[in-house]
């Protein structure tokens, strides 16, 4: 999913833990209920400027979701995924200011709060009564564990699941055999002078890392690629991805075809004008060249479907605001893992039937301040494919979906 490899050291630790026959017994934790202490301390704290307009709920259940983005049931599920790793690995130094060992639940809460708020480690630590170094240790331990244990929440669908997705896309947008929507966003950071280069400096003169994602009709991430410098174009990012190689080799988007008006229609995804027009990636007609109701109708349907990916990134960066802030000198080898875990958490919320607070998602665009890129590359087969879809939409005479 990304052009980076996990270090053998961390990977071997997790594999060793995974092979244990007996789940380690969690050390006895002699501390008051962590949530009660946290709630009493933070429920009246002034809202940070970054969350202006999003007030702390007075209801504890909603308050829990405000601070950690997930309901208590989903929180417990996340704890169950990482418990074995957090218990079996030596928790040296992971104590609060009163000298008590941190429970798994408190460790997960600290990590989720750090990812959800994007606040400094010092600020997050103060809200839990722990030090900055503890927040750093706990967050990274959690990221390593969830990255390994939650893989099943972000994977390409099997044939049966893909048929469901295609059926939903057609029912919602009228697009036959559509498997998803693609988009990309920048994760902005500052870099030490010795690490700066033109590769990491993007079109808006920010140092950034790219994240590309493909989502289904529920805005669930099906595939991501990250780790690449923000200085490259979106079209180049696509071509550097494993997804592109798989599609070009006929090993992805290679499921059942549809015959429409005598024309065979393969599986495809929809993307914006920053992407090339390909047989398996359909982009809109150029807006300045619309000459018929056919192309106008196609673009309207295409746009509503494509906006699923835009909205997914708005939810992702709104929920896990560490991705929406300027990261201060992050380790570029670790940043892809942080991004991946935020995407996993995004999917876990959807998979568990959880609902985000309605005001959490960002407003506007997930890449605020960035101008839209435009790719002029096209494949003649992709052009024919788009034309066939546009003709089918006219013939089907379905009602144009609303945004």
């Amino acid at each position: 999913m990304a052009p980076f490899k996990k270090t053998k050291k961390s990977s071997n630790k997790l594999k060793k833990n995974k092979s244990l026959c007996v789940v380690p017994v969690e050390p006895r934790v002699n501390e008051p209920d962590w949530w009660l202490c946290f709630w009493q301390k933070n429920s009246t704290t002034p809202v940070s400027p970054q969350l202006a307009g999003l007030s702390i709920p007075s209801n504890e259940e909603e308050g829990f979701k405000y601070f950690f983005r997930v309901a208590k049931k989903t929180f417990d599920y996340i704890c169950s995924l990482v418990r074995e790793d957090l218990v079996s690995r030596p928790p040296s130094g992971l104590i609060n200011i009163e000298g008590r060992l941190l429970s798994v639940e408190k460790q997960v809460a600290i990590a989720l709060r750090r990812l959800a708020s994007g606040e400094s480690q010092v600020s997050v630590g103060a809200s839990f009564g722990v030090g900055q170094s503890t927040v750093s240790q706990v967050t990274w331990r959690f990221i390593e564990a969830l990255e390994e244990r939650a893989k099943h929440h972000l994977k390409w669908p099997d044939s049966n699941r893909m048929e469901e997705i295609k059926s939903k896309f057609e029912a919602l947008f009228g697009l036959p055999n559509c498997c998803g929507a693609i988009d990309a966003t920048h994760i902005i950071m500052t870099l030490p002078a010795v690490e700066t280069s033109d590769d990491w400096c993007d079109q808006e003169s920010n140092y950034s890392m790219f994240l590309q994602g493909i989502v289904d009709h529920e805005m669930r991430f099906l595939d991501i690629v990250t780790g690449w410098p923000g200085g490259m174009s979106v079209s180049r990012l696509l071509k550097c991805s494993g997804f592109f190689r798989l599609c070009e080799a006929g090993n992805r988007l290679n499921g059942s075809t549809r015959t429409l008006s005598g024309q065979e229609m393969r599986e495809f995804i929809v993307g914006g004008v920053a992407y090339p027009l390909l047989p398996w990636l359909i982009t809109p007609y150029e807006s300045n060249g619309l000459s018929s109701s056919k192309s106008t109708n196609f673009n309207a349907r295409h746009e509503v479907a494509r906006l699923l990916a835009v909205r997914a990134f708005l939810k992702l960066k709104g929920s896990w605001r560490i991705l929406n802030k300027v990261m201060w000198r992050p380790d570029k080898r670790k940043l892809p893992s942080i991004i991946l875990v935020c995407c996993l958490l995004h999917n876990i919320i959807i998979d568990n039937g959880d609902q985000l607070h309605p005001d959490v998602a960002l407003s506007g665009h997930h890449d605020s301040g960035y101008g839209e890129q435009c790719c002029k590359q096209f494949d003649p087969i992709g052009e024919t494919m788009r034309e066939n879809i546009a003709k089918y939409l006219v013939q089907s005479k379905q009602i144009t979906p609303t945004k």
Side-chain angles (χ1 to χ4, degrees):
M1 277 187 297
F4 67 96
K5 295 182 179 179
K6 293 185 63 174
T7 61
K8 290 184 178 179
K9 185 176 179 182
S10 64
S11 185
N12 288 339
K13 281 182 180 179
L14 289 171
K15 287 180 180 177
K16 182 177 179 182
N17 291 339
K18 200 167 185 178
S19 63
L20 293 174
C21 296
V22 179
V23 177
V25 178
E26 186 173 353
R28 186 178 297 278
V29 180
N30 182 26
E31 66 172 343
D33 179 79
W34 70 268
W35 164 244
L36 181 60
C37 294
F38 179 90
W39 178 248
Q40 290 175 343
K41 184 175 184 179
N42 296 280
S43 59
T44 57
T45 302
V47 177
S48 64
Q50 292 83 2
L51 293 177
L54 183 59
S55 58
I56 300 175
S58 58
N59 176 277
E60 274 197 48
E61 185 177 334
E62 287 301 311
F64 190 95
K65 185 174 287 190
Y66 168 89
F67 285 111
F68 307 111
R69 300 296 189 257
V70 297
K72 187 62 169 63
K73 183 178 179 181
T74 304
F75 178 86
D76 291 341
Y77 170 71
I78 294 170
C79 289
S80 74
L81 290 177
V82 299
R83 184 175 301 278
E84 182 179 341
D85 293 315
L86 298 190
V87 170
S88 60
R89 294 176 63 187
S92 57
L94 297 185
I95 57 176
N96 63 17
I97 57 177
E98 296 175 335
R100 298 189 178 98
L101 191 64
L102 299 181
S103 65
V104 167
E105 286 73 19
K106 189 167 184 176
Q107 291 183 57
V108 171
I110 290 170
L112 289 180
R113 185 61 190 154
R114 169 80 173 120
L115 297 175
S117 68
E119 294 173 357
S120 69
Q121 294 174 350
V122 172
S123 177
V124 172
S127 66
F128 283 94
V130 299
Q132 176 270 331
S133 62
T134 298
V135 174
S136 178
Q137 285 186 67
V138 164
T139 303
W140 185 243
R141 280 159 48 95
F142 172 80
I143 287 169
E144 284 187 307
L146 197 70
E147 183 180 9
E148 180 69 19
R149 305 300 181 182
K151 288 178 179 177
H152 56 287
H153 283 286
L154 203 166
K155 61 181 182 180
W156 193 252
D158 59 25
S159 57
N160 289 334
R161 174 60 182 156
M162 185 55 78
E163 289 301 320
E164 293 178 19
I165 293 172
K166 291 192 293 186
S167 176
K168 290 293 185 180
F169 266 93
E170 185 162 13
L172 291 169
F173 314 113
L175 298 174
N177 241 23
C178 182
C179 300
I182 187 171
D183 201 6
T185 194
H186 293 85
I187 310 300
I188 303 175
M189 56 190 172
T190 61
L191 294 176
V194 294
E195 293 185 26
T196 58
S197 72
D198 291 342
D199 287 340
W200 294 97
C201 187
D202 60 38
Q203 67 193 68
E204 299 299 330
S205 300
N206 297 316
Y207 291 105
S208 64
M209 182 177 287
F210 255 132
L211 165 62
Q212 175 182 278
I214 300 169
V215 304
D216 66 11
H217 60 287
E218 294 180 302
M219 291 179 278
R220 178 187 290 103
F221 287 104
L222 305 178
D223 183 278
I224 70 164
V225 61
T226 190
W228 293 97
M232 62 182 9
S233 66
V234 171
S235 59
R236 186 181 169 209
L237 172 66
L238 171 71
K239 293 176 181 178
C240 288
S241 69
F243 182 81
F244 179 87
R245 292 190 293 272
L246 286 169
C247 290
E248 289 294 290
N251 296 322
R252 186 141 295 179
L253 295 175
N254 60 345
S256 61
T257 59
R258 289 275 301 276
T259 301
L260 303 173
S261 303
Q263 302 295 326
E264 191 173 79
M265 185 76 60
R266 63 166 293 168
E267 291 183 337
F268 66 93
I269 58 175
V270 293
V273 295
Y275 288 97
L277 173 60
L278 302 170
W280 48 267
L281 201 172
I282 304 301
T283 59
Y285 288 97
E286 290 187 18
S287 57
N288 59 0
L290 296 181
S291 59
S292 67
S293 59
K294 178 187 67 178
S295 52
T296 302
N297 179 51
F298 172 86
N299 275 13
R301 293 173 182 276
H302 179 283
E303 176 68 1
V304 183
R306 186 191 69 83
L307 283 176
L308 286 173
V310 175
R311 290 163 56 200
F313 278 126
L314 286 170
K315 285 180 176 290
L316 176 75
K317 296 176 88 171
S319 301
W320 312 107
R321 298 207 171 209
I322 193 169
L323 301 182
N324 195 49
K325 296 188 175 184
V326 179
M327 292 199 186
W328 175 252
R329 297 185 174 184
D331 185 332
K332 294 198 298 292
R333 295 167 299 177
K334 290 185 175 182
L335 182 52
S337 292
I338 297 172
I339 295 170
L340 169 58
V341 163
C342 289
C343 292
L344 289 171
L345 289 167
H346 172 96
N347 281 6
I348 286 172
I349 290 173
I350 296 172
D351 292 342
N352 280 34
D354 208 343
Q355 297 291 328
L356 285 173
H357 189 288
D359 296 329
V360 162
L362 299 177
S363 58
H365 194 274
H366 56 77
D367 250 357
S368 179
Y370 283 85
E372 189 171 39
Q373 298 180 26
C374 185
C375 179
K376 296 294 186 180
Q377 300 172 18
F378 70 93
D379 184 307
I381 298 176
E383 199 170 31
T384 300
M385 185 82 168
R386 181 174 64 186
E387 189 69 10
N388 289 338
I389 297 172
K391 288 178 181 177
Y392 168 76
L393 293 178
V394 171
Q395 293 169 359
S396 63
K397 296 181 180 179
Q398 296 177 9
I399 300 174
T400 302
T402 56
K403 292 186 181 182

